[in-house]
């Protein structure tokens, strides 16, 4: 006689409940969070265009990420846009949906913080601001959208702690689109129809990127990369008129306390500096042809002193032509300081060189250059 296994309806319901609980525990174990990067955004009842607004959240707010989904873009069904199902930290623990572009997941924020931690000892080399809204990325690469952390507003200011050139993106635009890209969307392949003679940009084989340090009021991510074509360098107003045929690509004040590094990023707009003072400035000539990947960061050092009594600047030092590389670092206190950079010697080797700064008996700033650099001047 065959034995029949009888499963009661009660048993079926029990197994179903266990399955649901198992699924819920798997989702809860992710314990994902995200930080709001938009100035303000809405948690909505669904991903539909006509969905109701449930809760307004603001930049810096932390939300629990419960799930995600990619839905067709209403303006272009061939593209997808990502949405997160989130839970707010409000009293009602509001749950709903929010566009992914408004959230920076915790794992991405962790990577940005690691980037900042690795560079914490690097002093700011310059300052800049965006002349158009642009993407803040984890890496200097715009061939995909996977490394995008958030969209920065036009006019956003920041400290520049480094820059580099990378191979130019084939078919890429000279600047990034002002419209925030959707996840999974491809980079535009539109090309400028101007001839190479009319548009020198078409001759370039490289493109510039800036590594930037940001204020928390601008971005939860403390550091990242910005496509250089979107950046306008904000040279301090008291020195911008001293350019003599070369561009100022980096600058550092010499009359500030170097022990208070990083406070300027967190306490004020780094793109504005009106107080006159003494500066060490890195200059660079405009190349005759396209830029190269291995070209130096600067080719001359200019030290500008400031006479407080007469309220005027003077040239304390201008180096001979050289091949210099970042980072520039200033050390010391008061009138006696040093600054160090990497310089390529006549044998083609790059090594650190330190310049001394002091004031003579009349209070005039003087610079003592390394022997290798002084020998170049005599030739």
């Amino acid at each position: 006689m065959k034995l029949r296994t009888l499963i009661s309806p009660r048993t079926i319901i029990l197994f179903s409940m266990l399955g649901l609980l198992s699924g819920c525990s798997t989702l809860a174990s992710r314990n994902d969070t995200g930080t709001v990067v938009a100035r303000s955004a809405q948690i909505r009842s669904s991903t539909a265009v006509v969905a109701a607004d449930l809760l307004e959240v603001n930049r810096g707010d932390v939300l629990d990420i419960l799930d995600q989904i990619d839905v067709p873009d209403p303006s272009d069904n061939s593209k997808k846009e990502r949405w997160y199902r989130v839970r707010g930290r409000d009293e009602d623990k509001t749950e709903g949906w929010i566009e992914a572009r408004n959230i920076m997941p915790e794992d991405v924020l962790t990577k940005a913080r690691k980037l900042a931690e690795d560079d914490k000892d690097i002093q700011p080399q310059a300052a800049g601001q965006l002349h158009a809204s642009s993407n803040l990325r984890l890496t200097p690469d715009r061939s995909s959208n996977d490394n995008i952390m958030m969209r920065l507003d036009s006019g956003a200011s920041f400290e520049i702690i480094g820059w580099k050139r990378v191979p130019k993106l084939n078919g890429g635009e000279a600047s990034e689109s002002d419209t925030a890209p959707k996840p999974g969307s491809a980079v535009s392949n539109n090309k400028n129809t101007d001839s190479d003679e009319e548009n020198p940009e078409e001759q370039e084989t490289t493109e510039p990127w800036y590594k930037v340090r940001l204020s928390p009021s601008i971005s939860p991510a403390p550091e990242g990369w910005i496509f250089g074509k979107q950046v306008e360098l904000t040279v301090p107003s008291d020195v911008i008129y001293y350019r003599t045929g070369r561009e100022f690509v980096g600058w550092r004040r010499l009359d500030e306390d170097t022990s208070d590094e990083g406070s300027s990023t967190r306490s004020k707009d780094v793109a504005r500096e009106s107080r006159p003072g003494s500066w060490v400035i890195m200059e660079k000539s405009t190349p005759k042809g396209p830029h190269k990947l291995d070209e130096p960061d600067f080719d001359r050092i200019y030290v500008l002193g400031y006479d407080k009594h007469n309220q005027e600047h003077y040239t304390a030092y201008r180096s001979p032509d050289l091949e210099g590389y970042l980072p520039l670092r200033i050390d010391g206190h008061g009138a006696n300081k040093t600054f160090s950079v990497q310089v390529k010697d006549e044998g083609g080797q790059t090594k650190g060189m330190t310049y001394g700064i002091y004031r003579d008996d009349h209070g005039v700033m003087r610079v003592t250059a390394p022997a290798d650099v002084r020998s170049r001047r005599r030739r």
Side-chain angles (χ1 to χ4, degrees), residues 68-84:
Q68 68 181 39
I69 187 173
D70 293 334
V71 301
D73 184 344
S75 61
D76 186 349
N77 288 331
S78 65
K79 297 180 181 179
K80 300 282 188 180
E81 57 182 1
R82 179 160 297 172
W83 287 71
Y84 291 128

Side-chain angles (χ1 to χ4, degrees), residues 62-367:
V62 177
L63 305 175
D64 297 317
I65 298 177
L66 308 177
D67 203 354
Q68 68 181 39
I69 187 173
D70 293 334
V71 301
D73 184 344
S75 61
D76 186 349
N77 288 331
S78 65
K79 297 180 181 179
K80 300 282 188 180
E81 57 182 1
R82 179 160 297 172
W83 287 71
Y84 291 128
R85 187 165 70 88
V86 297
R87 180 192 299 120
R89 300 289 180 90
D90 59 315
E91 183 178 344
D92 297 328
K93 297 188 181 302
T94 302
E95 290 189 17
W97 294 87
I98 191 169
E99 287 186 274
R101 72 175 70 185
N102 295 320
I103 296 290
M104 185 181 298
E106 183 63 26
D107 62 330
V108 175
L109 185 55
T110 298
K111 292 176 182 177
R113 287 170 176 162
K114 176 62 166 57
L115 197 64
E117 178 65 21
D118 292 343
D119 294 332
K120 66 180 181 180
D121 294 329
I122 297 181
Q123 298 172 343
Q125 308 293 294
Q129 66 180 17
L130 291 176
H131 58 71
S133 59
S134 186
N135 295 316
L136 178 69
R137 297 176 183 260
L138 278 170
T139 55
D141 174 19
R142 59 192 184 109
S143 61
S144 75
N145 297 329
D146 294 338
N147 62 352
I148 295 177
M149 290 188 282
M150 64 174 291
R151 192 75 175 175
L152 295 174
D153 297 332
S154 176
S157 60
F158 37 78
E159 290 178 340
I160 295 171
I161 60 172
W163 56 83
K164 67 182 299 185
R165 283 192 165 269
V166 303
K168 186 177 179 180
L169 179 65
N170 292 330
E173 296 177 350
S175 62
E176 293 197 301
S177 170
D178 286 351
T179 303
K182 311 290 186 181
S185 60
V187 175
S188 172
N189 289 321
N190 293 336
K191 294 185 178 181
N192 196 314
T193 56
D194 294 342
S195 68
D196 287 352
E197 293 182 359
E198 295 174 344
N199 186 10
E201 179 64 32
E202 291 296 327
Q203 302 177 25
E204 292 286 358
T205 59
T206 66
E207 57 186 31
W209 286 80
Y210 289 102
K211 184 185 278 190
V212 303
R213 185 178 287 152
L214 300 132
S215 164
S217 64
I218 295 175
S219 164
E223 187 173 311
W225 289 89
I226 298 177
F227 182 48
K229 294 296 183 179
Q230 308 290 79
V231 175
E232 176 186 355
L233 296 183
T234 51
V235 181
S237 58
D238 68 320
V239 301
I240 193 171
Y241 299 105
Y242 293 93
R243 289 185 295 194
T244 56
R246 305 189 193 197
E247 292 297 316
F248 289 179
V249 296
W251 53 88
R252 285 280 294 161
R253 290 189 71 98
L254 289 170
D255 47 6
E256 65 183 5
D257 185 0
T258 57
S259 65
D260 192 27
E261 290 301 332
S263 61
S264 61
T265 306
R266 295 168 175 78
S267 62
K268 66 180 181 179
D269 183 350
V270 299
R272 302 287 181 263
E273 181 59 73
S274 58
R275 178 168 56 91
S278 301
W279 300 82
V280 54
I281 300 166
M282 294 171 285
E283 299 180 306
K284 188 172 184 179
S285 306
T286 302
K288 296 181 180 179
H291 289 277
K292 300 177 181 179
L293 289 176
D294 58 350
E295 67 184 25
D297 295 322
F298 56 94
D299 53 30
R300 192 166 66 182
I301 299 171
Y302 180 25
V303 178
L304 196 63
Y306 182 67
D307 185 339
K308 293 183 179 180
H309 179 71
N310 295 319
Q311 297 186 356
E312 61 183 10
H313 290 93
Y314 58 90
T315 299
Y317 174 76
R318 182 176 274 123
S319 76
D321 288 352
L322 46 76
E323 293 182 65
Y325 299 88
L326 301 178
L328 165 72
R329 181 169 185 84
I330 297 176
D331 292 293
H333 303 277
N336 297 315
K337 292 186 177 180
T338 63
F339 66 88
S340 305
V341 290
Q342 299 287 318
V343 176
K344 186 174 290 186
D345 62 22
E346 294 182 348
Q349 299 296 315
T350 301
K351 61 181 181 180
M353 293 191 180
T354 300
Y355 296 71
I357 304 172
Y358 67 97
R359 292 187 180 273
D360 64 17
D361 295 338
H362 301 285
V364 178
M365 178 176 287
R366 303 292 184 184
V367 176

Side-chain angles (χ1 to χ4, degrees), residues 35-56:
T35 302
V36 178
V37 296
R39 289 182 182 274
S40 64
Q42 293 288 338
I43 295 178
R44 313 192 73 199
S45 60
S46 74
T47 63
V49 176
V50 295
D53 294 337
L54 302 179
L55 178 68
E56 181 175 281

Side-chain angles (χ1 to χ4, degrees), residues 2-6:
K2 293 183 179 179
L3 295 177
R4 297 179 60 188
T5 303
L6 298 178

